[in-house]
Amino acid sequence: MTTPLVECVPNFSEGRDRAKIKRITDAIEAAGGVTLLNVDPGMDTHRTVVTFVGSPEAVERAAFAGIATAAQVIDMRVHSGAHPRMGATDVCPFVPVEGVTMEECAAIARRLGERVGRELGIPVYLYEAAAAMPERRNLADVRRGEYEGLAKKLADPAWKPDFGPAAMNPGAGATVIGARPFLIAYNVNLNSTDKNHASDLAFALREKGRVARSGNTAPYYSRGKKLSYREGSFPCGSCTFVGKSYDEVAAHCTSEHHYDLGELLRSNDLDPPKVVGKNVYRPGLFKACKAIGWYVKDYDRAQVSINLTNFHLTPPHEVLEASRKLASERGLLVTGSEIVGVVPMAAMMQAGKHYLHKQGRTLGQPVPDILNTAVRSLGLTDVAPFHVREKVLGLPVVPAGALVQRTVIDFTDEVSRDSPAPGGGSVAALAGALGAALASMVANLTYGKEGTEERDPELARVAEEAQRIKDQLIAAVDADSDAFQGFMDALRLPQGTPEEKATRIRKMQEGLKAAVQVPWSTAEASYAAMQLARSVVTHGNPNSLSDGAVGVQIAFAGVRGGLWNVMINLKDIQDPGYVAEKRTACANLLAQAKALAEEAASAVDERLVGMIEKR
Ligand SMILES: [Zn+2]
């Protein structure tokens, strides 16, 4: 049910003329299939950051429309603003959100770059994950010299654009296109109005750290005495070590603290090894983390304002936990946190699972429960509302008219009506889903109790796997009633000429094979549900014995139902090799499922008899 989702965040060099900005965003929306999430114009920067999401195909199309329109409405010859820039569309990153890899986003960037260069005559540089060479990964390096230095840059063979002409496009300048991780704008709220407290935490968290101090640094680091490098005295910012030379302290930082001192100093605008007379720096706790402290009037609170530039490396919940610890050492309290804009589902699921695990629960919970755990544990409603549907990107999509959206009464009534769908296939899928759900239930009820230590790993595995199988089978409830769509479409094809007749028959046959795949998947997944339910019959709480037993039997109905639906569709397929192969596969799966159903039933009966007789 998860559909691939990509975010695109183009920056346009127009922040003042609302009409021009609207022409660009109108073009993006008119390309179709994308949702405009945010338009953020800046007067001083004279620049607008636009954020939209959609399928990989849709964002690629919409980004091109935006770049083409920006080239028409913006003239770089008369542009000046406070932000570095070199083109009308200055930078255009693609960001994987859900069901898409970074490499797929880099491929979108390359395709778009080629098209922008060819059709619009704009020089294009690729950056970050799409960069063709390491010296073009960093946006600041690519943009150095800005629009004013662009003619000179284009003339330099080392800076030949990746796509488009190596010649000046005076109106549009050049565009930097690429792929990068999702940026999460994340604020941690303190029970204080003092900005200094927030700044102190920010410096301790962020990658570039802070000026190192000595003496009276605990718990308020800023009360210590600033350290600086002197001739023959090169203190380490992280401990009391003092090197005799820059090289000595740099080697110490690498071996003792595992960080690159040169990188740290450069991120603080120093020019190592020429550091004599300059401040010593101490790195923060997290990579890919930028942070400052501020006071927010609307909330009357001090906040640590954080940008997480790679949440796979540094996820929000880890930063929050560190903030809670640092705050408590300073007599402060973290009252909650805030997501500015949107957050990928993956980051929320990771946070939810982190806290579920710490709370002694299995990770086999329904997706909405995991997301709610994340919202509550991160304290995301502390200063503003947090509506999961609006704030989380990449949630599974269930169409409004889907069968699985109906109530149990309504669905059952729908099955009973004189229309052929939904029928046995959808009911079989639902049966399998319920079997998996029962397996998850018993595993979760049993897990983590007195005396279950040895069984806990298996129970945790069953709970998590059962959720996955359940969600797959829930999706199959609707997929089954749509399974014949291809066959139905083929039925309606014209049959005037012999060629048309042949095409129609070929398409009908293809439709039938596609219709076989859905119940086959239902049967396979239902068998997996049987195995999970069988496991909790043995490992689950004895009071839940009948729940596990029902799970095995109802999931067996899912296997049987799926296989019968495969067989009924096979009778009309004319490819004997395909039919023979499927028949063998069906026979094998049926034999396994039958044996498991019988064995599980006997085991349950035996234990129940034993329990009664032991009374
Ligand atoms: Zn040290």
Side-chain angles (χ1 to χ4, degrees), residues 236 238-241 252 256-257:
C236 168
S238 301
C239 72
T240 55
F241 175 85
H252 161 87
E256 296 302 310
H257 308 297

Side-chain angles (χ1 to χ4, degrees), residues 315-389:
H317 65 267
E318 284 186 17
V319 175
L320 181 70
E321 286 308 309
S323 304
R324 283 176 169 155
K325 189 162 169 284
L326 291 167
S328 129
E329 287 164 8
R330 289 158 174 76
L332 294 164
L333 196 67
V334 169
T335 56
S337 61
E338 179 188 22
I339 298 278
V340 181
V342 289
V343 59
M345 176 169 155
M348 291 293 284
M349 290 295 284
Q350 208 186 347
K353 289 180 177 183
H354 167 84
Y355 289 109
L356 280 171
H357 181 70
K358 291 208 110 180
Q359 292 161 11
R361 308 276 302 278
T362 78
L363 308 186
Q365 315 289 337
V367 169
D369 297 19
I370 298 176
L371 293 174
N372 282 334
T373 302
V375 173
R376 289 192 207 106
S377 304
L378 298 172
L380 290 177
T381 56
D382 181 35
V383 291
F386 187 94
H387 301 296
V388 168
R389 285 268 150 220

Side-chain angles (χ1 to χ4, degrees), residues 119-359:
E119 293 186 26
L120 304 176
I122 298 173
V124 171
Y125 293 101
L126 297 171
Y127 84 119
E128 288 222 10
M133 45 194 101
E135 44 300 2
R136 294 189 184 182
R137 281 191 76 88
N138 186 316
L139 177 60
D141 292 340
V142 177
R143 203 160 47 194
R144 189 161 296 128
E146 298 194 40
Y147 174 78
E148 287 70 16
L150 185 56
K152 197 175 152 215
K153 186 169 206 148
L154 289 164
D156 179 354
W159 283 101
K160 182 181 179 292
D162 292 291
F163 297 109
M168 195 65 185
N169 181 327
T175 296
V176 190
I177 300 178
R180 60 157 172 80
F182 195 96
L183 187 154
I184 299 178
Y186 184 59
N187 298 335
V188 170
N189 316 326
L190 296 179
N191 67 332
S192 163
T193 53
D194 187 348
K195 179 192 157 190
N196 291 331
H197 286 318
S199 298
D200 187 48
L201 259 63
F203 297 160
L205 296 169
R206 68 185 186 186
E207 182 165 12
K208 69 186 273 192
R210 71 194 324 172
V211 174
R213 293 170 186 262
S214 66
N216 184 25
T217 55
Y220 300 105
Y221 195 78
S222 56
R223 290 183 188 166
K225 182 174 166 294
K226 282 188 182 177
L227 284 175
S228 56
Y229 296 113
R230 282 175 289 117
E231 212 58 70
S233 168
F234 292 80
C236 168
S238 301
C239 72
T240 55
F241 175 85
V242 181
K244 290 187 185 62
S245 67
Y246 173 80
D247 287 345
E248 192 183 345
V249 73
H252 161 87
C253 288
T254 305
S255 65
E256 296 302 310
H257 308 297
H258 314 291
Y259 64 84
D260 183 335
L261 180 62
E263 210 174 274
L264 173 69
L265 295 178
R266 277 189 294 275
S267 74
N268 283 290
D269 301 321
L270 297 190
D271 184 21
K274 291 178 281 177
V275 293
V276 170
K278 306 286 185 192
N279 285 322
V280 176
Y281 280 82
R282 172 189 181 87
L285 293 168
F286 294 105
K287 295 269 179 209
C289 173
K290 298 174 181 174
I292 56 163
W294 66 20
Y295 165 73
V296 184
K297 198 157 172 281
D298 286 352
Y299 307 146
D300 192 26
R301 294 289 192 89
Q303 274 189 329
V304 188
S305 171
I306 303 162
N307 274 337
L308 298 174
T309 54
N310 184 346
F311 71 88
H312 301 288
L313 213 56
T314 300
H317 65 267
E318 284 186 17
V319 175
L320 181 70
E321 286 308 309
S323 304
R324 283 176 169 155
K325 189 162 169 284
L326 291 167
S328 129
E329 287 164 8
R330 289 158 174 76
L332 294 164
L333 196 67
V334 169
T335 56
S337 61
E338 179 188 22
I339 298 278
V340 181
V342 289
V343 59
M345 176 169 155
M348 291 293 284
M349 290 295 284
Q350 208 186 347
K353 289 180 177 183
H354 167 84
Y355 289 109
L356 280 171
H357 181 70
K358 291 208 110 180
Q359 292 161 11

